[in-house]
Amino acid sequence: MNKILMSGNNVIGEAAIRAGCRFYAGYPITPQNELTEYMAEHMRNAEGGVFIQSESEVAAINMIAGAAAAGVRVMTSSSGPGISLKQEGISSMAAQELPGIIVNIMRGGPGLGNILPSQGDYFQATRGGGHGDYRTIVFAPGSCQELADLTMDAFDLADKYRTPAMILADGMMGQMMEPVIFKKPKPRQYPEKFMLRGAGSGKSKFIRGLLLDPVDSEAHNWKLARKYEVISENETRCEEHRIDDAKLVIVAYGTAARIAKGAIKRLRSHDMKIGLFRPITLWPFPEMRLRTLSEKVNNFLVFEMSTGQMLEDVRLALQGYADIEFHGRPGGAVPTPAELANVIARVYEQKD
Amino acid sequence: MITKTIFSGFGGQGVMMMGTSLAQSAMSKGFHVTYLPAYGAEMRGGTANCTVAVSDDEIASPVASEPNYLVVMNQPALFTFQNRVTPGGSILINSSIVEASPSRQDITTFYIPCSDMAQELGNARTANIVMMGAFVRQSGIVPPEIYLKTLETIMGSRKKALADINRKAFTAGYEYVQK
């Protein structure tokens, strides 16, 4: 397979179509417009493909919920402000156990904020911005290649666990072009018994999120909780970079992790033993792996393009076993590897 | 080794195309590449810029805080970006429409009247390709043949007639900086 030079937004669209996504609904917002545009152009060439530019973000999430109930692979996308609007629908899909992919190309917040890359939606993505006891699987790709691979994987996991999954990237990942090789997607495995396509002569099927009887509702909540436990056990992913001899480990994801890698490269050339721990799934968070790491590393530095959100998960994972420092650049600021290297060097020298 | 370049000018001058064509040809030469456009409320006639990073190793940040090369297609671009260029770096200027010169002494400047040259060749819109000829020669990131082949692929078969015009424009720019 040949390498193709594509922007992150287009990569997600192409990966989704290759993975068998046949229903996309979305509403424009910078910096993810190219994804909606890509789906508008290419979905019509996919057999049975439907593209809808909905009247709002709320409509889009409910459209994909409907199509998911009918058994189609579905996707919607937006950026921060639009993802906020979709929360009711995401909660509803989680309750009804409907698989679907929600893409969030993060921008500076809160409110309308700005259109620059940011990582302020971590809490919203990992804690579930909607109401009720639910979780969404959250992938945090760090390159265009990962956007391609993880989008395909997200469809598989959403089907496997019948739950919505999120791709959490930022404006930089969406706009940047990088070479990509698309892998061959696995064939879809999704039993027909979960698809609402008319009962025919068989029994009626129901998909619902309203459970008025507390006995039913409690049972349903525990059923979901057990499912999330299984996901936590089996689906965490992370990357460890140069941690073997590290005295200080940076914890960062997505664009921040790329910048951290650049900074580490500089500092390593000055003989500073620094490594990187990069969560690839933000929920489930690779907490056990990080805790194990604290057996040989005593110092961690969390770097985020926010005021400190993943920081809380790192604290929970390390449970006081190691020292944690934090460096944050919120609101659309993207530091250079050189700037970050200065910050890391200061922390490193204090600890050394 | 990592080389970062900022291309900047008016929307409509083919500034983004200069960036993608460089990124694509560097990719086919086997380099790691990133291309980052300025995005948002951009429009024809407004400002446009993009950054291309080419490296033999993984690229950490696609942003160029200290680019090695700056390609300036209009005057505002020179004022916006000249101070970012790394000491010892180069600025290539479209001297047909840019009257000012860089105020810095620690960089090399090349003046290429690419808009006039494109006009003389019969197609004013190839000014960006004339500039790319000069850029490819000066930077040495990709061999000219690979660049031209990539350019033909990008333009596609329905614009075959353009291939000759582009080749002429490219050669004019390439030879201009040789003098």
Side-chain angles (χ1 to χ4, degrees):
Chain A
M1 273 269 241
N2 281 337
K3 276 188 183 174
I4 314 170
L5 186 70
M6 269 179 124
S7 78
N9 281 324
N10 291 355
V11 167
I12 299 172
E14 180 61 30
I17 292 172
R18 287 185 191 222
C21 175
R22 288 298 176 268
F23 186 94
Y24 172 94
Y27 185 83
I29 182 171
T30 308
Q32 65 83 52
N33 285 323
E34 294 79 6
L35 173 50
T36 310
E37 186 190 12
Y38 193 88
M39 294 312 251
E41 191 178 338
H42 291 85
M43 203 50 130
R44 61 188 169 149
N45 299 325
E47 203 191 329
V50 176
F51 166 85
I52 296 178
Q53 183 182 316
S54 54
E55 67 272 33
S56 74
E57 287 88 347
V58 180
I61 187 77
N62 286 292
M63 284 173 184
I64 71 157
V72 184
R73 274 199 158 168
V74 298
M75 184 166 92
T76 185
S77 65
S78 191
S79 183
I83 298 292
S84 294
L85 293 170
K86 291 182 196 288
Q87 293 303 332
E88 182 199 18
I90 298 172
S91 165
S92 174
M93 285 175 76
Q96 295 169 65
E97 300 190 80
L98 294 174
I101 305 304
I102 300 112
V103 180
N104 181 1
I105 304 295
M106 289 184 281
R107 57 189 245 173
L112 283 178
N114 60 33
I115 57 170
L116 297 165
S118 180
Q119 296 184 325
D121 302 351
Y122 182 93
F123 280 153
Q124 186 194 49
T126 59
R127 301 313 193 249
H131 56 280
D133 266 327
Y134 80 96
R135 296 287 195 171
T136 40
I137 301 171
V138 182
F139 285 104
S143 64
C144 284
Q145 184 59 54
E146 270 196 357
L147 280 175
D149 297 343
L150 295 179
T151 299
M152 288 185 181
D153 294 352
F155 276 104
D156 292 339
L157 288 193
D159 280 347
K160 184 176 174 189
Y161 296 105
R162 291 198 294 134
T163 192
M166 185 175 276
I167 307 287
L168 191 69
D170 61 54
M172 181 110 84
M173 300 286 312
Q175 295 292 325
M176 178 177 62
M177 276 189 181
E178 267 187 322
V180 169
I181 298 174
F182 289 99
K183 65 179 179 183
K184 199 169 175 279
K186 292 179 199 141
R188 190 186 189 197
Q189 291 183 327
Y190 192 70
E192 214 181 305
K193 65 176 176 182
F194 298 125
M195 303 176 183
L196 292 189
R197 290 182 171 177
S201 53
K203 266 175 69 180
S204 300
K205 296 180 206 169
F206 290 94
I207 291 179
R208 61 184 159 201
L210 180 68
L211 299 165
L212 291 173
D213 187 333
V215 176
D216 293 346
S217 185
E218 187 180 16
H220 182 60
N221 269 281
W222 282 121
K223 181 189 162 203
L224 292 180
R226 281 193 297 276
K227 174 165 85 176
Y228 299 142
E229 222 163 274
V230 174
I231 297 173
S232 299
E233 269 164 36
N234 300 324
E235 308 297 349
T236 56
R237 295 189 199 182
C238 60
E239 183 201 349
E240 290 166 358
H241 173 72
R242 308 193 75 164
I243 55 160
D244 288 338
D245 61 343
K247 289 183 177 166
L248 173 69
V249 167
I250 316 296
V251 187
Y253 69 94
T255 295
R258 286 180 78 108
I259 297 166
K261 266 192 195 173
I264 290 167
K265 196 175 158 192
R266 282 161 190 259
L267 296 167
R268 281 267 171 185
S269 68
H270 293 98
D271 229 24
M272 298 191 202
K273 296 191 167 66
I274 295 161
L276 172 74
F277 183 84
R278 177 171 77 95
I280 296 172
T281 51
L282 300 181
W283 192 88
F285 190 77
E287 123 185 277
M288 290 317 288
R289 191 58 216 138
L290 192 57
R291 197 171 300 157
T292 314
L293 201 56
S294 72
E295 285 169 14
K296 49 177 194 172
V297 182
N298 291 322
N299 296 296
F300 290 83
L301 171 66
V302 179
F303 167 53
E304 290 177 79
M305 282 143 63
S306 77
T307 54
Q309 301 193 6
M310 183 176 68
L311 175 62
E312 294 193 0
D313 276 335
V314 175
R315 283 185 184 140
L316 285 170
L318 294 176
Q319 296 184 330
Y321 288 125
D323 283 345
I324 304 165
E325 300 282 336
F326 174 72
H327 181 65
R329 295 298 303 273
V334 184
T336 63
E339 282 168 2
L340 183 64
N342 288 340
V343 173
I344 299 172
R346 266 204 305 280
V347 173
Y348 185 83
E349 276 152 18
Q350 282 165 12
K351 306 284 177 190
D352 204 15
Chain B
M1 244 293 270
I2 184 161
T3 309
K4 289 189 176 179
T5 308
I6 293 181
F7 295 92
S8 182
F10 289 124
Q13 277 184 315
V15 171
M16 309 314 240
M17 199 271 177
M18 294 166 91
T20 46
S21 61
L22 170 65
Q24 188 114 27
S25 52
M27 178 182 82
S28 57
K29 185 87 188 0
F31 286 114
H32 290 263
V33 296
T34 62
Y35 161 90
L36 186 70
Y39 61 90
E42 313 297 337
M43 59 184 182
R44 186 173 295 259
T47 62
N49 73 77
C50 64
T51 304
V52 177
V54 179
S55 175
D56 39 26
D57 201 3
E58 226 176 290
I59 297 164
S61 172
V63 179
S65 47
E66 293 185 324
N68 309 82
Y69 292 93
L70 169 64
V71 176
V72 168
M73 294 298 279
N74 70 358
Q75 192 135 316
L78 179 65
F79 299 138
T80 310
F81 293 112
Q82 64 163 332
N83 287 333
R84 281 216 215 160
V85 179
T86 195
S90 303
I91 303 186
L92 288 87
I93 293 178
N94 174 7
S95 56
S96 301
I97 59 171
V98 179
E99 287 167 359
S101 314
S103 49
R104 291 178 57 178
Q105 307 297 320
D106 58 345
I107 45 158
T108 316
T109 309
F110 299 92
Y111 299 91
I112 300 109
C114 59
S115 295
D116 294 333
M117 289 166 72
Q119 193 91 47
E120 275 166 35
L121 290 167
N123 192 332
R125 285 185 296 173
T126 58
N128 60 339
I129 304 299
V130 175
M131 183 57 104
M132 282 311 287
F135 175 80
V136 165
R137 174 149 200 122
Q138 277 311 318
S139 66
I141 297 172
V142 287
E145 271 316 307
I146 290 194
Y147 179 80
L148 281 168
K149 213 173 145 226
T150 309
L151 192 60
E152 271 174 43
T153 321
I154 296 172
M155 300 309 277
S157 53
R158 77 203 142 87
K159 291 179 181 169
K160 265 265 147 51
L162 278 179
D164 283 344
I165 303 171
N166 279 329
R167 190 170 275 270
K168 263 189 220 160
F170 181 88
T171 311
Y174 193 83
E175 282 168 1
Y176 185 83
V177 286
Q178 197 178 6
K179 283 178 206 165

